[in-house]
Amino acid sequence: MMSGHATGSERRVPSTLLGMILFISSEVMFFGSLFGAYFTIRGNAGAWPPGGTPELDALRTGLFSIPLLASSVTQQLGLLALKKQDSRGLIRWTVITILLGAIFLLNQGVEYAQLSSEGFTVSTNVFATLFFTMTGFHGLHVFAGLVVLGLIVSKARRGHFSAQRHGPAEAAGYYWHFVDVVWIFLFSVLYLLQ
Amino acid sequence: MATVDSPADFGIERRRSGLVDYITTTDHKKIGILYLYTAVAFFLVAGALALVMRAELAAPGLQVVDNQTYNELFTMHGTAMMFFFVVPLALAFANYFVPLHIGAPDVAFPRLNALTYWMFVLAGLTAFSGFATSGGAAPFGWTGYVPLSESTYSPSVGADLWIMGLLLSGVSGTLGAVNFMATIFGMRAPGMTMFRLPIFVWNIIVTSALIMFTFPVLTAALSMLFIDRNMGGHFFDPKVGGDPILWQHLFWFFGHPEVYIAILPFFGVVTEIIPVFSRKPLFGYRGFVFATLLIGAYSFSVWAHHMFTTGAVDGPFFSATSMLIAVPTGIKFFNWIATMWRGKIRLRTPMLFCMGFLFMFLMGGITGVFLASPPIDFAVHDTYYVVGHMHYVLFGGSVFAIFAGIYYWAPKMFGRMMNERLGKVHFWLMLLGFNVTFFPMFQLGLNGMVRRIADYPAETGFAPMNLLASIGSAIIGLSVLVFVYNFFMSKRRGMPAGNDPWEGYTLEWATTSPPPHHNFTRLPPIRSQQPVFDETQQAQRESRG
């Protein structure tokens, strides 16, 4: 899937990277629609958040966002290592990236459990529907990113990458950064802009 | 200069037995043929649903189906035609001909390409499987308006299957679009600059961009609807702060570009065919490219013209943007006609269908300008006037162009010409049946007949024109049978096509019919938009001189 057929001298951007950039732009439209729904519904509402919404723990979720943001840095460090012919460095940094992403997801799971024990679920009110849908889809994207990074590690261990052949690792990085950026917006809107 | 013909290439193609080969293939040509067959199969099914509807409407009273079944019929007719026929058929042509047009051996991601095809098959089967459940298929129209599509009013599992089918088709379409963009931008042959791309390829670029930017919006809207229906969500529930109009905004932000997704590829097909059958180069190449880009860009600013009667949108703004779209479309019409002007026109079946397209799409377009005016829209909203308009655009436009494309390209895809006499019978029957079916709908709409209702009282006086429309639909059905017979008969016994039966201009005619696995044994030099035409011209000059 990742190997395009090189036909001529005129190829400018490698297909893998171009494909990923285009895919991410479609993802922007997906999350954009969710944000559009959020602001439409919020714009209609009198009081926000509507009654029945518990206080969200912005501080704790904010702290647990640090590993996710840091994981973008570690992912990039792995790519830099690979470009210096250090594929062991790629594996090491990518594993760290996966661990950091997993920490973030773990906290999201704990937070969901706590909120639902307080009786706050998808059906509680319209904010709850938005909150769980938006963070839920983001969580799914983080999870998908972990799977992709896992594939990168397993491919790297079988020697698939080198300083010259780093397209898929770089494309996975683009995706991972995108998921990070989405979280910055989600966190700001859902936790800070109350 | 002899062209290289190597019959051995045919032998390599037939190594493995047909079925296994087609299931496991990642060859863009075979995937293109799979798309073609599957999309046409959905066309036949969705067309049959429409014939049942027309049978019901032929006279006042309920004779054929009950109200609930009728609701399922028009929902699945529209859904299948939009999602499982027109768009996949565009992907069929794009799969087969984009790599050939740009001189590439395949698409950028062949395995992803196979995945998108199989996801599309699964999507169609999922949506249709509602008919097999006790509650029946989705009954709320292809637009899925809330609150009708919420679980209170459409509790059946068929509605959820419809949502899942469309979700799958959305993901499939998005991945397919990414693949075509990466192919066109990354895999053009040496010399194939952007302004030498065939117009068909330009149209696939814009279509892919529209798919990439709008299908995810539908995916988001469908996800919200699913959460509302199955997890107690409140997105569209006004009782607790949700917003039913939100669905319409999201749906039409996707849905209006969707109708351009359903027409632009076929503008491309027509633009390939008209010059070849007029024996002239295309008039105004760059005008075409920029008009296509403009239509793509404008299409994001017109969605709310579907929502004038909600009173929740800015009528004058969306009216103006909608009418603006007539300008780039007008440029295209001008260029098509200027291409034909003083050409040596050959009235073969593909050209006939192109000319049918020009007339029918023009009527669809003009009635669309009327609809874009809010006062008129308020009067005819949700009447048969709208049904007439959109069938002139999507049937008179897209479907006529699809048949033009099939008659034009089947010789390349299968190596044999389609029967010309049967092709002409198909064309005239379809043109007649189409107009007899859909022209009365304009009048019925102006007289106040609303759509999506299984019955009408006899005293309304709607009956004669409805009967006429039903008779027309039977003629369309007959013409499609002629086509199906012609297609399969010609595929087995048609005249061998040779490399270039139409004296074409673009690169697909520089290889064998069907092309070998890697498409080209040699490429002509690419110095213009019509490399094959250039080469034959040069060969003629050399043989003379």
Side-chain angles (χ1 to χ4, degrees):
Chain A
M1 181 165 85
M2 296 298 184
S3 66
H5 297 261
T7 51
S9 50
E10 293 195 29
R11 72 195 340 235
R12 294 162 195 94
V13 188
S15 298
T16 317
L17 289 187
L18 181 60
M20 182 52 80
I21 293 167
L22 296 169
F23 177 70
I24 289 172
S25 52
S26 79
E27 288 275 51
V28 168
M29 293 305 291
F30 176 79
F31 280 102
S33 309
L34 296 181
F35 279 105
Y38 175 89
F39 284 109
T40 306
I41 288 171
R42 183 172 176 165
N44 292 340
W48 195 263
T53 310
E55 189 78 19
L56 293 173
D57 194 343
L59 181 64
R60 197 188 70 184
T61 308
L63 284 175
F64 273 95
S65 304
I66 294 171
L68 187 69
L69 300 183
S71 72
S72 258
V73 178
T74 57
Q75 202 286 332
Q76 207 59 31
L77 287 172
L79 202 62
L80 286 175
L82 178 65
K83 286 182 176 174
K84 288 185 206 145
Q85 287 297 11
D86 177 10
S87 60
R88 290 172 59 88
L90 171 73
I91 296 171
R92 196 171 53 242
W93 283 117
T94 310
V95 168
I96 294 173
T97 308
I98 293 174
L99 288 175
L100 291 170
I103 291 171
F104 171 83
L105 265 192
L106 204 66
N107 177 59
Q108 193 177 26
V110 172
E111 189 184 17
Y112 274 23
Q114 280 175 354
L115 285 173
S116 74
S117 74
E118 293 169 33
F120 187 67
T121 62
V122 182
S123 58
T124 304
N125 60 30
V126 72
F127 175 76
T129 307
L130 284 161
F131 174 83
F132 284 107
T133 304
M134 294 169 89
T135 56
F137 271 113
H138 179 261
L140 280 177
H141 279 75
V142 173
F143 182 75
L146 294 181
V147 173
V148 170
L149 290 173
L151 286 173
I152 295 292
V153 170
S154 94
K155 281 201 158 197
R157 290 175 70 156
R158 282 180 282 136
H160 278 245
F161 302 129
S162 66
Q164 289 74 39
R165 266 188 58 80
H166 57 263
E170 194 168 355
Y174 285 9
Y175 176 82
W176 192 249
H177 300 326
F178 164 74
V179 170
D180 259 16
V181 172
V182 171
W183 178 249
I184 294 174
F185 283 100
L186 277 177
F187 181 74
S188 312
V189 167
L190 293 174
Y191 288 83
L192 302 181
L193 213 73
Q194 280 291 356
Chain B
M1 265 214 223
T3 50
V4 179
D5 270 332
S6 69
D9 291 329
F10 287 91
I12 298 169
E13 287 288 279
R14 299 182 195 266
R15 248 177 347 200
R16 270 182 293 169
S17 80
L19 193 63
V20 178
D21 198 16
Y22 269 92
I23 289 173
T24 58
T25 189
T26 59
D27 177 352
H28 73 97
K29 296 184 290 298
K30 288 183 177 150
I31 293 173
I33 288 172
L34 285 171
Y35 263 113
L36 177 71
Y37 282 149
T38 317
V40 171
F42 277 116
F43 171 70
L44 297 177
V45 172
L49 300 184
L51 290 181
V52 178
M53 283 190 278
R54 280 314 325 166
E56 175 52 55
L57 291 169
L62 286 177
Q63 298 89 7
V64 185
V65 290
D66 58 22
N67 286 310
Q68 170 69 18
T69 312
Y70 187 86
N71 292 348
E72 294 168 25
L73 290 178
F74 71 69
T75 301
M76 293 312 293
H77 166 76
T79 302
M81 286 298 191
M82 291 304 278
F83 292 97
F84 308 133
F85 166 56
V86 177
V87 176
L89 213 130
L91 296 181
F93 286 154
N95 252 296
Y96 206 101
F97 292 102
V98 163
L100 289 172
H101 273 161
I102 64 174
D106 207 319
V107 292
F109 309 115
R111 276 196 279 170
L112 183 68
N113 199 23
L115 177 71
T116 58
Y117 168 74
W118 290 105
M119 281 173 81
F120 146 61
V121 175
L122 189 63
L125 294 179
T126 305
F128 266 94
S129 64
F131 279 117
T133 63
S134 58
F140 37 63
W142 81 279
T143 49
Y145 271 23
V146 295
L148 194 55
S149 55
E150 292 275 20
S151 50
T152 322
Y153 304 102
S154 300
S156 69
V157 68
D160 291 310
L161 290 167
W162 178 87
I163 293 174
M164 285 189 265
L166 261 55
L167 277 172
L168 266 173
S169 110
V171 176
S172 157
T174 308
L175 294 176
V178 167
N179 198 353
F180 285 119
M181 292 285 252
T183 305
I184 297 167
F185 285 111
M187 297 184 63
R188 299 190 307 281
M192 183 56 85
T193 59
M194 291 306 281
F195 280 107
R196 290 179 190 161
L197 286 175
I199 292 289
F200 175 71
V201 178
W202 268 109
N203 279 275
I204 295 300
I205 292 176
V206 176
T207 307
S208 299
L210 294 183
I211 289 177
M212 259 170 38
F213 290 125
T214 61
F215 272 38
V217 178
L218 176 69
T219 305
L222 290 167
S223 305
M224 294 177 204
L225 183 58
F226 191 86
I227 289 166
D228 267 18
R229 290 174 54 88
N230 297 292
M231 299 169 185
H234 304 293
F235 282 109
F236 307 119
D237 179 3
K239 284 199 296 291
V240 284
D243 186 356
I245 301 294
L246 174 65
W247 168 268
Q248 296 189 25
H249 276 298
L250 291 172
F251 183 84
W252 288 115
F253 191 84
F254 147 79
H256 202 81
E258 161 74 6
V259 302
Y260 295 103
I261 292 166
I263 191 73
L264 285 178
F266 308 111
F267 279 0
V269 171
V270 168
T271 314
E272 292 307 312
I273 295 173
I274 287 178
V276 170
F277 287 83
S278 304
R279 306 315 300 156
K280 277 177 64 191
L282 180 67
F283 178 89
Y285 176 92
R286 282 182 190 233
F288 254 109
V289 172
F290 289 117
T292 307
L293 292 170
L294 264 182
I295 291 178
Y298 282 162
S299 74
F300 287 99
S301 63
V302 300
W303 79 92
H305 69 215
H306 295 271
M307 302 164 58
F308 284 147
T309 55
T310 61
V313 297
D314 187 346
F317 173 78
F318 284 102
S319 176
T321 54
S322 304
M323 288 181 186
L324 257 182
I325 290 213
V327 175
T329 315
I331 293 174
K332 293 189 168 203
F333 262 88
F334 182 82
N335 288 2
W336 283 321
I337 293 165
T339 303
M340 288 159 67
W341 181 254
R342 293 190 172 168
K344 278 185 274 181
I345 294 177
R346 296 185 299 189
L347 281 180
R348 307 290 295 273
T349 310
M351 188 63 172
L352 278 178
F353 271 101
C354 285
M355 293 169 94
F357 160 90
L358 288 178
F359 283 106
M360 298 301 106
F361 185 81
L362 184 64
M363 288 188 51
I366 288 173
T367 50
V369 177
F370 284 96
L371 279 170
S373 167
I376 298 177
D377 184 78
F378 269 77
V380 294
H381 184 80
D382 258 345
T383 68
Y384 266 83
Y385 187 88
V386 177
V387 180
H389 157 71
M390 62 149 289
H391 281 89
Y392 268 85
V393 175
L394 286 171
F395 192 147
S398 301
V399 177
F400 273 67
I402 283 169
F403 283 118
I406 292 176
Y407 282 97
Y408 180 59
W409 276 326
K412 179 55 60 182
M413 299 169 93
F414 304 107
R416 288 178 187 277
M417 305 299 289
M418 287 184 69
N419 184 292
E420 190 66 23
R421 182 187 295 261
L422 286 174
K424 283 179 175 150
V425 171
H426 171 204
F427 170 75
W428 289 110
L429 271 180
M430 187 167 259
L431 189 72
L432 175 74
F434 172 77
N435 282 295
V436 172
T437 305
F438 294 106
F439 197 81
M441 289 187 185
F442 289 126
Q443 192 61 48
L444 281 170
L446 292 174
N447 291 358
M449 181 168 172
V450 289
R451 64 174 181 167
R452 292 179 172 176
I453 291 181
D455 193 16
Y456 49 90
E459 51 272 23
T460 54
F462 295 154
M465 273 189 285
N466 269 297
L467 182 62
L468 191 63
S470 296
I471 292 168
S473 72
I475 302 175
I476 296 175
L478 186 66
S479 76
V480 172
L481 288 182
V482 173
F483 164 76
V484 171
Y485 172 74
N486 186 1
F487 183 83
F488 286 106
M489 199 270 301
S490 301
K491 209 168 146 276
R492 283 171 53 192
R493 288 199 300 244
M495 296 262 290
N499 289 3
D500 184 11
W502 309 117
E503 300 171 289
Y505 298 166
T506 39
L507 285 178
E508 76 268 37
W509 308 108
T511 183
T512 52
S513 307
H517 184 72
H518 283 287
N519 290 350
F520 296 99
T521 38
R522 63 170 284 277
L523 275 172
I526 301 163
R527 300 200 193 92
S528 77
Q529 295 125 24
Q530 46 243 352
V532 176
F533 179 76
D534 294 346
E535 199 180 41
T536 45
Q537 291 280 301
Q538 193 180 343
Q540 278 169 15
R541 272 197 301 276
E542 280 171 12
S543 68
R544 275 202 302 268

